[in-house]
Amino acid sequence: MASETTVAAGPYELRFDAGRICLDLLATAHPDERLGAARQLRAWIAASGLVPVGTPLRHVDGSWVTRFGELRSLIGRLTGQLVHNPPVADPRSLEQALARLNDLARPAPPATRAVRAPDGTLVRELHGPPDCAALLGAVARDAVELLTDPEARACLRQCEGDNCPIVYLDTSRGRRRRWCSSEICGNRERVARHRRRVALARA
């Protein structure tokens, strides 16, 4: 899976710093929509590590965007109940979301094979273009693993930044991570604190 990185993709940026691929998908909705078009979804799939580098994704179309959007919504509802107290969704809605997530997690992942690169080394590639259900399944299974792992669930946090809904795994020493990104929300908080101190000094 992708490491903790930020990937430039046209006029938007794709972040992979939430700690799980399912949470990285969730982060694509904030602060602006990053999966609103097929080209954006292609960029996200390629950067996420779901497929080997260089995998053709020209067949990804608008129907994929809708289906990945549905999965993102399900993940948001199910993780939201773990980071909000009390839960924000009603029990019936959560059970429906869980049943749908389990359905999406069923398909087998894309089949891989080892092939020779031009320099003779073995590299990984897919047997053919990945279908949408297989890639959705990979992300959905990651969400299932997250939701059923007590240690991982205990590390789920929502960013403390103003109006930031991003959920991440806090694996820092002492579990002291407060923001989805120290460079983004953390920096905004530091700037806000500085401005408050300046304002108080002038008062």
Side-chain angles (χ1 to χ4, degrees):
M1 296 302 176
S3 60
E4 296 187 3
T5 57
T6 300
V7 178
Y12 51 90
E13 290 182 341
L14 300 174
R15 293 175 53 185
F16 297 94
D17 54 4
R20 298 292 288 254
I21 190 67
C22 63
L23 299 179
D24 289 331
L25 176 63
L26 191 57
T28 60
H30 178 80
D32 300 306
E33 176 59 68
R34 288 171 168 79
L35 296 185
R39 63 180 177 80
Q40 294 174 312
L41 181 56
R42 290 187 200 109
W44 187 85
I45 292 171
S48 70
L50 285 172
V51 297
V53 174
T55 298
L57 295 170
R58 290 182 295 275
H59 61 299
V60 174
D61 60 21
S63 67
W64 287 49
V65 174
T66 300
R67 294 171 71 183
F68 269 83
E70 179 198 13
L71 177 57
R72 184 176 68 184
S73 177
L74 294 171
I75 294 168
R77 286 157 66 186
L78 291 166
T79 57
Q81 59 130 356
L82 298 175
V83 296
H84 294 103
N85 189 18
V88 294
D90 65 87
R92 181 180 300 179
S93 173
L94 291 174
E95 288 306 308
Q96 292 172 343
L98 187 60
R100 180 59 179 150
L101 178 70
N102 288 333
D103 285 341
L104 292 174
R106 287 180 181 178
T112 58
R113 61 181 180 176
V115 297
R116 293 285 179 190
D119 64 359
T121 59
L122 289 173
V123 296
R124 182 174 61 104
E125 71 173 28
L126 300 184
H127 277 277
D131 64 32
C132 188
L135 296 184
L136 284 171
V139 181
R141 281 190 297 278
D142 184 62
V144 168
E145 292 173 6
L146 171 62
L147 294 170
T148 57
D149 181 344
E151 291 187 11
R153 287 199 310 265
C155 293
L156 276 174
R157 304 282 187 273
Q158 181 175 333
C159 180
E160 295 182 19
D162 287 342
N163 301 313
C164 183
I166 289 181
V167 176
Y168 60 88
L169 281 188
D170 181 5
T171 57
S172 65
R173 181 175 298 178
R175 302 293 186 266
R176 295 178 178 176
R177 180 177 169 184
R178 296 178 54 198
W179 303 293
C180 63
S181 168
S182 179
E183 291 75 22
I184 300 173
C185 286
N187 188 57
R188 289 192 189 114
E189 178 64 22
R190 288 188 288 271
V191 169
R193 283 202 306 263
H194 174 71
R195 288 175 176 168
R196 287 194 294 268
R197 285 195 300 268
V198 170
L200 286 172
R202 290 174 177 173

